[in-house]
């Protein structure tokens, strides 16, 4: 039987592995998403358009989840992590680690895009400065829009906030439906595709007013890159500091609404405590190692999972893989 020290060491190493997975998964999401925007804008639409941008973000999301899911659960989004913690599906004590990995992954990814496309971006300089329009009456904010979300001239703050909250709510609701073993029977290898297609749907339907972050890390970290990369404080002062905060508040509120709707409307109480076995056709994207490393507090709902060649243990995680 493993000693307490050995167990703590294993859990610590598993948390590090999960954090690295979140970092890499978020990096994949943003480096592909922002890269698709850069290619479209910097070639004046000759090698990309709005639809290819939507596909870029959708594929980046799917591939990021595919890479990171086994080790961390594939959150890639601070709003998703917070919503799962509030729903007692994720331990609060691990939330800061995930957030740090997600924001840092998006930061490094944005820096990578800036580096790869820097020569093309330099062509957009005017009088030695990167252009970013000072008010909403001008058509667009220039190359800063490669990295973060900015509104069209007609979009109000209320429209931007409602749109971001609504889209994230739908996105989070679909995540809950797709990854919950007792509500749907989506195989693990298809879950990243369903989630990526949901992001694609949000872009196709609601991306024109002011972008669709649905993810605080995906907007704030790239915005910081532009702040330090030459665009300066205008990336935050755009519209009198009354725009950038939408992509911090909206995703968190929307994700909380989405997980709340799922657990109050769709997920019945009798479905909450179940015993998984290897005959279950559902294969969620979270494996035994991840589940054991992310045991929520004692107030969380407990589930029994089985690991091959091991004993049965109870962990507070609704989405676990039958081993």
């Amino acid at each position: 039987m493993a000693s307490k020290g050995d167990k703590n060491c294993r859990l610590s190493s598993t948390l590090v592995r999960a954090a690295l997975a979140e970092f890499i998964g978020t990096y994949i999401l943003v480096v592909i998403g922002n890269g698709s925007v850069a290619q479209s804008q910097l070639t004046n639409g000759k090698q990309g358009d709005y639809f290819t941008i939507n596909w870029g973000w959708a594929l980046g999301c799917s591939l990021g989840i595919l890479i990171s899911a086994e080790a961390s659960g594939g959150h890639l989004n601070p709003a998703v992590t917070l919503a799962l913690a509030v729903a007692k599906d994720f331990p609060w004590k691990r939330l800061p680690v995930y957030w740090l990995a997600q924001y840092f992954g998006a930061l490094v990814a944005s820096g990578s895009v800036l580096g790869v496309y820097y020569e093309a971006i330099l062509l957009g300089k005017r009088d030695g400065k990167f252009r970013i329009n000072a008010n909403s009456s001008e058509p667009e904010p220039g190359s800063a829009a490669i990295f973060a979300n900015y509104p069209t001239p007609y979009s109000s703050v209320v429209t931007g906030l409602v749109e971001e909250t609504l889209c994230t709510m739908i996105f989070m609701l679909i995540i809950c439906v797709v990854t919950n073993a007792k509500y749907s029977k989506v195989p693990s290898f298809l879950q990243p595709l369903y989630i990526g297609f949901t992001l694609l749907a949000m872009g196709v339907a609601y991306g024109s007013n002011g972008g669709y972050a649905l993810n605080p890390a995906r907007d704030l970290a790239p915005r910081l890159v532009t702040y330090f990369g030459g665009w300066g404080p205008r990336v935050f002062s755009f519209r009198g500091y009354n725009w950038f905060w939408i992509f911090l508040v909206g995703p968190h509120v929307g994700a909380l609404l989405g997980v709340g709707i799922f657990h109050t409307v769709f997920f019945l109480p009798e479905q909450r405590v179940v015993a998984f076995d290897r005959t279950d056709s559902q294969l969620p994207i979270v494996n035994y190692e991840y589940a054991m490393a992310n045991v929520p507090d004692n107030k969380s709902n407990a589930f029994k999972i089985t690991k091959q060649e091991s004993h049965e243990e109870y962990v507070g995680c609704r989405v676990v893989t039958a081993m």
Side-chain angles (χ1 to χ4, degrees):
M1 184 176 181
S3 66
K4 183 177 180 181
D6 291 338
K7 183 178 180 180
N8 290 337
C9 181
R10 186 179 72 83
L11 292 179
S12 176
S13 64
T14 303
L15 178 59
V16 171
R17 180 171 176 262
L20 288 173
E22 284 295 303
F23 167 82
I24 295 172
T26 308
Y27 178 90
I28 295 297
L29 164 67
V30 176
V31 82
I32 295 176
N34 276 346
S36 68
V37 181
Q39 180 164 278
S40 175
Q41 184 181 126
L42 296 174
T43 61
N44 295 317
K46 294 180 180 179
Q47 296 182 28
D49 54 24
Y50 181 69
F51 196 56
T52 64
I53 291 172
N54 289 332
W55 272 105
W57 282 110
L59 292 173
C61 178
S62 293
L63 295 174
I65 294 173
L66 183 66
I67 289 171
S68 61
E70 283 294 316
S72 70
H75 297 186
L76 318 186
N77 187 333
V80 170
T81 303
L82 176 64
L84 293 176
V86 170
K88 298 180 180 179
D89 290 332
F90 186 79
W92 282 100
K93 63 183 179 181
R94 297 181 182 273
L95 183 142
V97 177
Y98 270 54
W99 275 15
L100 180 63
Q102 291 156 356
Y103 278 106
F104 191 52
L107 191 74
V108 175
S110 304
S112 299
V113 174
L114 178 59
V116 170
Y117 283 102
Y118 191 71
E119 293 174 337
I121 291 173
L122 282 177
L123 298 177
K125 272 193 170 184
R126 298 291 183 271
D127 300 323
K129 296 181 180 180
F130 288 120
R131 179 171 63 89
I132 175 169
N133 296 328
N135 59 69
S136 59
S137 65
E138 297 175 311
E140 45 83 26
S143 54
I146 292 173
F147 301 93
N149 294 281
Y150 294 88
T152 53
Y154 58 80
S155 295
S156 66
V157 172
V158 173
T159 297
L161 181 60
V162 170
E163 182 177 68
E164 189 70 7
T165 302
L166 172 66
C167 290
T168 312
M169 179 186 71
I170 297 172
F171 187 55
M172 188 70 209
L173 178 59
I174 299 300
I175 289 174
C176 291
V177 169
V178 168
T179 61
N180 190 280
K182 301 308 295 181
Y183 189 82
S184 64
K185 297 292 182 181
V186 180
S188 60
F189 65 90
L190 289 179
Q191 291 177 16
L193 291 178
Y194 275 97
I195 296 172
F197 281 139
T198 304
L199 185 60
L200 174 64
M202 294 302 98
V204 169
Y206 294 107
S208 62
N209 287 326
Y212 59 107
L214 318 188
N215 184 336
R218 170 261 178 275
D219 186 88
L220 179 60
R223 201 177 292 269
L224 286 172
V225 167
T226 55
Y227 177 86
F228 291 108
W231 287 263
R234 290 171 294 175
V235 300
F236 289 102
S237 62
F238 186 83
R239 285 197 174 184
Y241 296 94
N242 199 22
W243 184 259
F244 78 93
W245 60 269
I246 289 174
F247 303 99
L248 299 176
V249 175
H252 285 298
V253 174
L256 291 173
L257 289 173
V259 77
I261 290 172
F262 176 72
H263 284 293
T264 58
V265 177
F266 297 102
F267 199 49
L268 301 177
E270 56 267 25
Q271 296 174 310
R272 297 185 188 278
V273 180
V274 296
F276 286 86
D277 56 46
R278 290 193 297 256
T279 63
D280 197 325
S281 62
Q282 168 72 3
L283 295 174
I285 59 178
V286 186
N287 70 1
Y288 179 85
E289 180 182 4
Y290 165 73
M292 293 306 299
N294 293 278
V295 180
D297 54 45
N298 293 330
K299 295 180 181 180
S300 302
N301 294 313
F303 291 82
K304 182 166 66 176
I305 63 174
T306 303
K307 182 181 180 183
Q308 192 171 6
E309 298 178 356
S310 182
H311 59 281
E312 292 182 343
E313 296 189 54
Y314 285 83
V315 296
C317 183
R318 289 196 179 96
V319 185
V320 294
T321 301
M323 300 295 291

